[in-house]
Amino acid sequence: MARIMIAFALAVIGAAIVATVIQTQFNLAALVALSVPIDLTVRMHAISHDLLHFGPIIALIFIPTFAIAFMVAYWLSVKLKVAERWWFILAGGVGLAVAFTLIDSLAPMPTLIAANRTLLGFILMSSCGAFGGWIFDRLWHPRPQELLEELP
């Protein structure tokens, strides 16, 4: 059980870090489009600020999303016994896409997370869930079950 909890926590943290950096870059790109000069120092400061302030918020979105998505992925991998690793990757990405869509439908503003305003941003932010699914699966059990069953 400890291995699952550690894998889950690291999947949330890893995905939240990547999502935060993506979100920061989308915000900075919007400022650059308005002719605001953004140098490397400002970018690094913005990333560190967002990791401290936006990172925990996105992690709170990832926790219930990953909990549900990874349970579904586990159930599918047990029932179908094929491509176990891919179920966790797919579940993380689809889970976040669903979560972002649900959150945006309930938020008073058009999108809660600015990066989700464009299709590219939505895809990149949702792909952080796939990354989290990959982290979880690799740490939970480094060798997929289908490979373990083939060993003599």
Side-chain angles (χ1 to χ4, degrees), residues 62-99:
F62 288 4
I63 291 169
T65 301
F66 283 178
I68 294 166
F70 295 167
M71 284 189 278
V72 170
Y74 177 75
W75 182 80
L76 287 169
S77 69
V78 168
K79 291 292 180 194
L80 300 177
K81 297 194 185 299
V82 295
E84 178 184 74
R85 179 152 290 149
W86 291 102
W87 288 120
F88 288 94
I89 294 168
L90 182 66
V94 170
L96 269 189
V98 170

Side-chain angles (χ1 to χ4, degrees), residues 107-135:
M109 63 287 281
T111 58
L112 182 65
I113 299 169
N116 285 337
R117 290 183 188 140
T118 66
L119 180 60
L120 175 62
F122 181 78
I123 291 169
L124 288 174
M125 291 296 286
S126 297
S127 70
C128 293
F131 179 60
W134 178 81
I135 292 171

Side-chain angles (χ1 to χ4, degrees), residues 12-44:
V12 168
I13 292 167
I17 289 170
V18 174
T20 299
V21 172
I22 289 170
Q23 166 68 10
T24 302
Q25 297 312 307
F26 268 83
N27 287 340
L28 294 176
L31 291 172
V32 169
L34 296 172
S35 301
V36 176
I38 306 287
D39 63 9
L40 184 59
T41 304
V42 171
R43 282 188 187 278
M44 297 311 291

